[in-house]
Amino acid sequence: MIVAVAALESELAGIRRQMKLACSYLVGQMRIAEGWLAGRECVLAQSGMGRERAEHALGFVLNRYRPSAVVALGYSGALAAKLRAGDLVVCSQVHALVAMPTPLHPMPSLGLLACDHHLVARALHVELSPSWTTERWLPKLRPERPVGGGCLTLPYLASYRQMKEWLSWNFSGAVVDMESFWYGCLAQQARVPFLAVRAISDPLTESLPPLEGLIDDSGHTHTSALSRYLLHHPLACGSLMRLGLHAHRAQQSLTVFFSKFVKEMNL
């Protein structure tokens, strides 16, 4: 059995649609889905955002099931200029800042864990959907694969371009998120192989629009609040549309990757 865990419902939505579901249930604000994907037994766990919800959700899953691997999936901000929206990063290492940097504490203490090297090697060889590129003015169809890199887990969302740029100058890592390190700690304590794979939703040069009222800490999107949101943030319309497009690309990448990864795994 493979467990996929993510903070937001949209990060797992494409995978859930491809699964043959056996059951789906709520544990508080967590949503758990059991079923089969590519003929293999899988559990999807949507935890919500941040350390506390990540630890609570995966702790419940590890106590209830006996997974052969835990794969953390989700959107992330880019800390590398070459990464575009929808690109996938397979994380060989995950760092964590226990607090956000301040003028008095510019380099907070770090935590570090390594993802399972066998899972990393397999994930890097998953062939994604082909994409068109231009070389010497001629269209060329080439397969894409995930890229390798590190992940930096923060206690808060890195919303602003300036923050991501500062992090990219001061810390190693290709992507930034809020949960991967805490998922990985629990998986390693349970002696379950762990892998983190992140899809870019906001490139290095872009800031996120203010999202208050649209996504809660449990990871649920409130579409009914969109009109009220735009009323209070009229200038955010363009950036919100761009984020929606980026998130759609990221969701597609996660769905294609995990489906092929599960199919090719021998777990």
Side-chain angles (χ1 to χ4, degrees):
M1 173 189 291
I2 302 176
V3 167
V5 59
L8 307 179
E9 56 185 355
S10 62
E11 293 167 336
L12 296 174
I15 299 170
R16 187 181 292 109
R17 286 193 292 268
Q18 293 200 1
M19 286 180 62
K20 181 181 179 182
L21 288 178
C23 69
S24 180
Y25 58 94
L26 290 173
V27 180
Q29 296 295 317
M30 294 184 299
R31 180 174 294 278
I32 310 293
E34 300 176 11
W36 292 266
L37 180 66
R40 300 185 184 275
E41 192 175 8
C42 294
V43 170
L44 306 184
Q46 186 236 322
S47 67
M49 299 169 63
R51 176 180 180 175
E52 182 178 352
R53 289 176 173 80
E55 291 179 333
H56 179 63
L58 189 55
F60 172 86
V61 169
L62 291 173
N63 284 329
R64 183 179 178 91
Y65 303 97
R66 294 184 178 273
S68 53
V70 170
V71 182
L73 301 172
Y75 308 150
S76 69
L79 296 182
K82 66 180 180 179
L83 293 173
R84 305 162 297 172
D87 284 353
L88 276 183
V89 177
V90 173
C91 304
S92 55
Q93 291 185 327
V94 185
H95 295 76
L97 293 185
V98 296
M100 290 296 281
T102 67
L104 294 178
H105 301 282
M107 298 291 281
S109 59
L110 283 168
L112 171 66
L113 64 84
C115 293
D116 183 86
H117 66 279
H118 294 296
L119 295 182
V120 169
R122 288 179 178 270
L124 287 171
H125 284 85
V126 172
E127 189 172 292
L128 305 174
S129 299
S131 66
W132 288 96
T133 59
T134 302
E135 184 177 321
R136 297 182 180 178
W137 306 102
L138 294 175
K140 181 181 179 181
L141 192 64
R142 65 173 175 85
E144 289 190 348
R145 299 182 189 275
V147 300
C151 177
L152 179 63
T153 296
L154 301 180
Y156 303 106
L157 194 65
S159 300
Y160 298 105
R161 170 182 58 82
Q162 295 88 344
M163 172 58 79
K164 290 186 291 184
E165 289 176 345
W166 186 88
L167 291 169
S168 72
W169 297 331
N170 289 277
F171 299 95
S172 62
V175 294
V176 60
D177 72 2
M178 292 174 59
E179 297 86 22
S180 288
F181 182 82
W182 310 115
Y183 293 143
C185 286
L186 284 185
Q188 291 193 352
Q189 289 171 15
R191 301 184 182 277
V192 177
F194 173 74
L195 174 68
V197 179
R198 290 283 164 175
I200 302 301
S201 57
D202 49 302
L204 179 63
T205 56
E206 295 181 11
S207 297
L208 293 173
L211 299 174
E212 298 86 354
L214 283 185
I215 301 176
D216 60 26
D217 289 342
S218 297
H220 300 107
T221 304
H222 300 287
T223 55
S224 60
L226 181 59
S227 59
R228 295 193 301 273
Y229 175 90
L230 292 175
L231 182 64
H232 291 90
H233 304 91
L235 299 180
C237 183
S239 57
L240 192 62
M241 292 178 62
R242 182 175 65 247
L243 177 61
L245 291 173
H246 289 352
H248 179 67
R249 292 175 188 168
Q251 184 193 89
Q252 287 183 317
S253 296
L254 291 170
T255 302
V256 171
F257 165 80
F258 190 69
S259 298
K260 292 190 174 183
F261 180 75
V262 169
K263 184 177 181 179
E264 296 171 9
M265 287 303 294
N266 184 24
L267 293 171

